[in-house]
Amino acid sequence: MNPLGLKNILIITKLEKCKLCSPIAELLSKYGYKVFLSNCKKEEIKKAIFDHLIEIIILMPAVELSYRFQICEWLFKNYPNKVYISYTPFSLQKELDIIKCPLYLKHKCRASFLIFDVFTQKELLVKRIEYLIHLQYTNKIANISFKLLNMLDEAVKNFGVLPLFKKEVSVYSSYNRMAQQVEQLINFIGEKLVDFISKKFLADKISLFMYDVVSNKYVLVASKNYKIEDKNKPLYISEEWKFVNMAIKNKKNLILQDGEMRYPVFKKLNFKPQPDIISSLVMPIVVGENVLGVLNVARLKEDKERYTSVDLSLLVYLTGWIGYIYSIIMSFKLNIEYNKLKDDFIAIINHELRTPLMALSASFELLEGKIPKNIEEIVKRNIKRLTSMIEELLDFSRIFRGKLKVVKKENSILKLINEIVEEYSQQLKNKGIEFIVDTDIKTAEFNFDYYRIKQVLTNFINNSIKFFPEDRENKYIKLSVKEKEKVFEFCVEDNGKGIPKSELKKVFLPFVQVGDVSVDHKQGLGLGLAIAKEIAKQHKGRIFLESQEGSWTKACLILPKK
């Protein structure tokens, strides 16, 4: 049997007594095929296709080329998913000039010709037919793939889908804008899919439901001739839809023919199909172990055939595509929701921490000089630390809201470096760390955000201080500023414990610290370098880290002069 399991064959001939039909039918029957005969009249062919769920159609040579063209054109239009075989014995090959056929010239039927002598090569006939079945099915699959790729290409052109997935979240002004764009993309692809399915499968009624991560339900994303009472409200699959729910639960594709279900297990359901449905397919969209959605396709008109195994197989392939396309989109949608919740959480924490911290700081100022000096230093240090953490959280929140802005104006580089040296010299001396400063600049001033660039450089220095091994001898931190032809290069180098090569790519991710934080947690939230990267980006510059584990680390900020 062929790999698709097709079995219903219709042989079309013009002769009442076809000498070739009987041996072909007899041979195919031995291999499990059910063979039916029809004359060339369209009404007879139509009735045979409907009554016997025909999947394969064989045209015999008795049908001359001119009339065969009319029959084939009608068949291709009304039954696009059949497997067609045009049989021609060797003896008639020259008489049947197929190159003149308009359909052949349009590549409509080039994979359907079976030039064969049934009397001398009987044992090879079935293999040849099954080869043509496989070839045509492969062509149909390729056609679906081509159409879907064109659809995705159109989506990219209309919505900029690839930039949406490639760009960082911070380039967007709000989560609402991103969420809205994703919803528009979902609806666009849904509408294109419905239009394609309508034409490819001659469907009169279609509904595409996809899993919604927010509501935890299957919501209608696209449809054709589907009754929707309130278009302003989302339509979900309800518990009353027993047939659809059972298909989702069992992850099984279902065929409904003339109101009767093929599968005995579903006959137990108290289910009454719509009387106007001739044939329908219920296709759960499964990716891995998860059902991401369900596609319902139905034919309602009396002049159409019922769905067959070919339609089912092609839809299985199509729903596989749909599943992977929507899984990518849904993962991005879920990421938006996650980041929005995270950002809202950070904003709430900021508010809840900042208010009492301001009150604590004000109260401490009233007590300054009235409490022991060592306690005063501890309180000051911890207030400063909490204030710094809150500012980092606020900056991180601004980044994800697209509201972290830099204000560039003429500023002195030397003033910035001297200010940093003044702030850190005594602290580093107390820790036994030599502070080396190396400047090689000719330009006194250039356009940059003084506060933000200082924030980046102090973050570099603070990281160097935090990650020095206790037993390291001859500790040093080197701050260097080099002026080059088109850029300024600010670097902070240390001879600390270094960063493992496997960790280097992670250090710019938010809330990430190098090493095992459960064993060796350092102060801070792990946001400094993520914020520094965004500041550099807004200056049209860049940041990079170099390191050798156990030896040294070098963090650099590159800023363009213009």
Side-chain angles (χ1 to χ4, degrees):
M1 186 62 69
N2 61 80
L4 296 178
L6 309 186
K7 59 182 180 179
N8 298 330
I9 298 178
L10 179 66
I11 296 177
I12 299 175
T13 182
K14 190 176 182 181
L15 303 175
E16 292 185 6
K17 294 183 179 180
C18 176
K19 295 180 180 179
L20 294 172
C21 294
S22 295
I24 291 175
E26 183 180 344
L27 183 62
L28 290 170
S29 297
K30 288 181 180 180
Y31 282 84
Y33 290 95
K34 294 182 179 179
V35 183
F36 305 91
L37 298 177
S38 172
N39 60 33
C40 291
K41 295 179 180 178
K42 292 179 182 179
E43 288 302 316
E44 292 294 326
I45 296 172
K46 183 177 174 181
K47 186 176 185 304
I49 290 174
F50 186 89
D51 290 344
H52 306 299
L53 289 172
I54 297 299
E55 297 154 333
I56 304 166
I57 295 176
I58 300 177
L59 274 80
M60 299 304 290
V63 184
E64 62 269 13
L65 187 62
S66 59
Y67 190 66
R68 183 182 293 207
F69 165 70
Q70 297 177 25
I71 292 292
C72 289
E73 188 175 42
W74 172 75
L75 286 171
F76 291 161
K77 180 180 179 181
N78 292 280
Y79 307 98
N81 294 333
K82 302 297 180 195
V83 173
Y84 292 99
I85 297 173
S86 182
Y87 177 74
T88 305
F90 283 124
S91 58
L92 297 177
Q93 182 180 358
K94 293 182 180 179
E95 297 178 23
L96 185 63
D97 194 357
I98 59 175
I99 296 177
K100 294 180 180 179
C101 176
L103 293 177
Y104 181 85
L105 296 174
K106 293 178 182 179
H107 300 272
K108 292 280 188 180
C109 56
R110 290 199 174 189
S112 66
F113 287 94
L114 177 61
I115 300 174
F116 201 82
D117 192 333
V118 69
F119 296 107
T120 61
Q121 297 177 300
K122 185 182 294 186
E123 67 281 358
L124 296 176
L125 178 64
V126 175
K127 289 184 179 181
R128 291 290 298 274
I129 288 175
E130 290 182 351
Y131 169 75
L132 290 176
I133 291 172
H134 176 75
L135 183 61
Q136 288 191 43
Y137 180 76
T138 303
N139 289 342
K140 293 179 191 298
I141 289 294
N143 177 260
I144 290 175
S145 301
F146 179 74
K147 295 289 185 182
L148 289 172
L149 288 171
N150 281 343
M151 180 194 72
L152 292 176
D153 184 57
E154 187 177 353
V156 171
K157 291 177 181 176
N158 289 345
F159 290 90
V161 181
L162 293 182
L164 176 71
F165 282 89
K166 287 181 178 178
K167 288 181 180 179
E168 295 181 8
V169 177
S170 58
V171 301
Y172 292 90
S173 60
S174 69
Y175 290 111
N176 289 336
R177 179 184 170 189
M178 285 189 289
Q180 184 180 27
Q181 188 172 7
V182 171
E183 289 300 327
Q184 289 174 348
L185 175 61
I186 290 172
N187 293 333
F188 174 84
I189 290 178
E191 289 172 4
K192 289 292 179 181
L193 283 170
V194 164
D195 182 63
F196 172 64
I197 292 168
S198 175
K199 294 173 181 176
K200 179 66 178 175
F201 296 91
L202 303 180
D204 301 305
K205 189 174 182 179
I206 304 169
S207 62
L208 175 61
F209 288 84
M210 298 304 300
Y211 179 73
D212 178 55
V213 294
V214 179
S215 64
N216 194 30
K217 295 179 180 178
Y218 294 96
V219 63
L220 183 70
V221 297
S223 65
K224 174 186 177 181
N225 293 333
Y226 205 84
K227 187 178 180 181
I228 304 173
E229 294 181 0
D230 189 348
K231 293 185 178 180
N232 295 319
K233 291 183 179 180
L235 179 63
Y236 300 108
I237 292 177
S238 68
E239 293 181 0
E240 297 175 357
W241 300 7
K242 295 181 180 179
F243 191 52
V244 174
N245 281 309
M246 188 68 79
I248 293 172
K249 181 181 178 181
N250 292 331
K251 302 176 186 177
K252 295 288 186 181
N253 304 307
L254 307 175
I255 299 180
L256 186 68
Q257 306 286 27
D258 296 326
E260 293 183 3
M261 289 166 280
R262 286 190 174 186
Y263 312 96
V265 66
F266 294 106
K267 292 183 178 180
K268 299 176 183 178
L269 297 174
N270 184 18
F271 172 78
K272 293 181 179 179
Q274 298 178 33
D276 56 342
I277 292 180
I278 293 173
S279 182
S280 66
L281 296 167
V282 181
M283 312 290 296
I285 299 168
V286 182
V287 176
E289 295 297 318
N290 301 311
V291 180
L292 295 188
V294 61
L295 173 68
N296 300 298
V297 181
R299 287 175 177 162
L300 307 179
K301 297 178 181 178
E302 290 293 339
D303 61 342
K304 288 187 178 176
E305 61 154 335
R306 295 175 291 174
Y307 287 118
T308 68
S309 298
V310 181
D311 299 298
L312 181 63
S313 297
L314 293 174
L315 273 175
V316 167
Y317 178 77
L318 177 60
T319 53
W321 263 84
I322 296 172
Y324 287 116
I325 291 169
Y326 273 96
S327 64
I328 294 171
I329 297 172
M330 293 303 174
S331 65
F332 191 76
K333 183 178 179 180
L334 186 60
N335 187 48
I336 293 172
E337 294 295 330
Y338 163 74
N339 281 302
K340 184 177 184 302
L341 288 172
K342 182 173 66 177
D343 200 33
D344 290 344
F345 174 74
I346 290 171
I348 292 168
I349 292 297
N350 272 325
H351 176 75
E352 294 300 319
L353 287 177
R354 200 170 194 182
T355 303
L357 183 61
M358 289 173 65
L360 179 63
S361 182
S363 301
F364 176 71
E365 288 178 6
L366 296 174
L367 295 173
E368 200 167 358
K370 299 177 182 179
I371 59 177
K373 194 69 175 176
N374 63 329
I375 296 177
E376 187 176 304
E377 288 299 322
I378 292 171
V379 174
K380 273 185 178 180
R381 185 168 64 250
N382 282 287
I383 286 176
K384 184 178 179 181
R385 179 185 168 194
L386 282 171
T387 302
S388 176
M389 289 172 65
I390 290 171
E391 287 301 321
E392 278 194 346
L393 283 169
L394 281 171
D395 282 342
F396 182 69
S397 179
R398 291 185 188 110
I399 289 172
F400 271 84
R401 292 180 183 274
K403 294 182 178 180
L404 181 71
K405 303 298 180 184
V406 299
V407 181
K408 293 193 287 186
K409 61 180 182 180
E410 289 287 326
N411 283 302
S412 169
I413 300 174
L414 286 176
K415 180 184 176 183
L416 172 64
I417 299 304
N418 290 335
E419 189 173 304
I420 292 173
V421 170
E422 185 179 343
E423 288 182 14
Y424 280 93
S425 290
Q426 190 60 47
Q427 180 186 349
L428 294 176
K429 185 178 180 181
N430 294 341
K431 291 179 178 290
I433 302 172
E434 183 184 2
F435 194 15
I436 304 169
V437 179
D438 180 19
T439 59
D440 181 13
I441 55 175
K442 297 177 182 178
T443 304
E445 295 183 343
F446 85 105
N447 273 323
F448 67 96
D449 188 317
Y450 189 94
Y451 169 76
R452 292 298 183 186
I453 296 304
K454 182 181 177 182
Q455 181 181 354
V456 174
L457 297 178
T458 55
N459 175 261
F460 288 171
I461 296 172
N462 289 334
N463 285 341
S464 292
I465 295 170
K466 279 192 293 186
F467 293 99
F468 263 116
E470 293 294 331
D471 58 349
R472 175 73 78 210
E473 296 180 358
N474 302 319
K475 300 176 186 177
Y476 75 83
I477 291 176
K478 181 179 179 181
L479 171 61
S480 64
V481 184
K482 306 290 183 184
E483 181 176 356
K484 299 188 176 181
E485 184 180 353
K486 295 183 179 180
V487 298
F488 288 98
E489 183 180 271
F490 300 80
C491 292
V492 173
E493 183 181 343
D494 64 64
N495 63 339
K497 68 177 185 179
I499 303 171
K501 191 174 182 180
S502 60
E503 301 280 336
L504 272 176
K505 291 183 179 180
K506 301 177 184 177
V507 295
F508 291 106
L509 297 175
F511 301 106
V512 170
Q513 287 193 358
V514 175
D516 187 350
V517 294
S518 64
V519 176
D520 185 26
H521 175 68
K522 302 295 182 182
Q523 290 184 1
L525 298 171
L527 291 173
L529 287 175
I531 295 168
K533 183 180 178 182
E534 179 64 22
I535 292 170
K537 182 180 176 183
Q538 293 212 23
H539 279 82
K540 296 184 179 179
R542 63 188 179 91
I543 283 179
F544 67 88
L545 258 69
E546 296 174 343
S547 186
Q548 182 175 326
E549 187 176 3
S551 183
W552 58 271
T553 299
K554 185 177 181 180
C556 292
L557 166 66
I558 310 297
L559 294 181
K561 289 183 175 180
K562 295 181 180 180

